[in-house]
Amino acid sequence: MRRTVATARTTTGAPARRALGASLGLAVMVLVLLAPLAAAQDGGKYAQRSPDQHIHDGAKVFDAVNQSSIEDDLAAFAQSTGIDIAVYTQKKGRVGDRKDARDEAEALLEEWEVGGESGRGAVMLWNVRNDGQITRNGVALGSAYTNAIESETDEAINGDIRSSLQSRDWISALNIGILDLQDRLAAIPAPSATPTTTVERPAPTFGPLR
């Protein structure tokens, strides 16, 4: 008589594989959801500034030749005066009032570290709609300048370049705005270093030798 030996089939492998697959799927989903947040934290709100960069034309309103020439002029100005000026254009639909535009320019100034530790820097930020119409613009100055000077400069430059922007003469507006900024900031003396106070100590006196 032939014996039949029953073999037990292992069934624990399939549920384990399904559980592992579900865990991997959940992990991938979490990474996908967190990736944009991580990228924003790493890269900041604005495009990264490369060394010696003074112009970022995210709105694509400048031609390459003029942009390169003005970039060189801003680099030479920074070298000779120590004043760092940056221009940033971006596509953006609606901006609030003038203060909102200036606040955004100040955020860019801080993120790009325009002016560095000296605070002698300025940002001109243009917001351009998709249809090519200009919206609110902002000008922000570094910590070397008072709030009153910043407000006055913002109002003056926006007034000077308004007609050129409205007619979409971008290079003319850029030249007018930069020259105005350069003239205004160069006329303000650089903050002097805080003088150090030297305390003179009286020379020690000794009694007669015995």
Side-chain angles (χ1 to χ4, degrees), residues 26-43:
L26 180 60
V28 170
M29 184 180 298
V30 170
L31 289 174
V32 170
L33 292 174
L34 292 181
L37 177 60
Q41 290 176 341
D42 182 59

Side-chain angles (χ1 to χ4, degrees), residues 1-101:
M1 184 176 179
R2 180 180 298 175
R3 287 184 171 181
T4 302
V5 179
T7 58
R9 180 179 297 177
T10 303
T11 59
T12 57
R17 286 194 298 271
R18 285 196 296 269
L20 178 60
S23 299
L24 289 175
L26 180 60
V28 170
M29 184 180 298
V30 170
L31 289 174
V32 170
L33 292 174
L34 292 181
L37 177 60
Q41 290 176 341
D42 182 59
K45 179 179 179 181
Y46 303 97
Q48 286 188 332
R49 185 185 193 185
S50 60
D52 300 322
Q53 181 183 7
H54 294 274
I55 300 177
H56 173 79
D57 185 24
K60 306 298 181 187
V61 294
F62 304 139
D63 64 272
V65 174
N66 279 301
Q67 178 176 334
S68 177
S69 175
I70 296 172
E71 182 90 53
D72 291 343
D73 177 71
L74 289 173
F77 182 76
Q79 183 70 27
S80 62
T81 65
I83 299 174
D84 184 14
I85 295 177
V87 178
Y88 194 101
T89 74
Q90 64 180 359
K91 290 284 188 181
K92 189 164 186 177
R94 186 181 180 88
V95 181
D97 56 19
R98 177 63 55 76
K99 182 181 182 302
D100 294 329

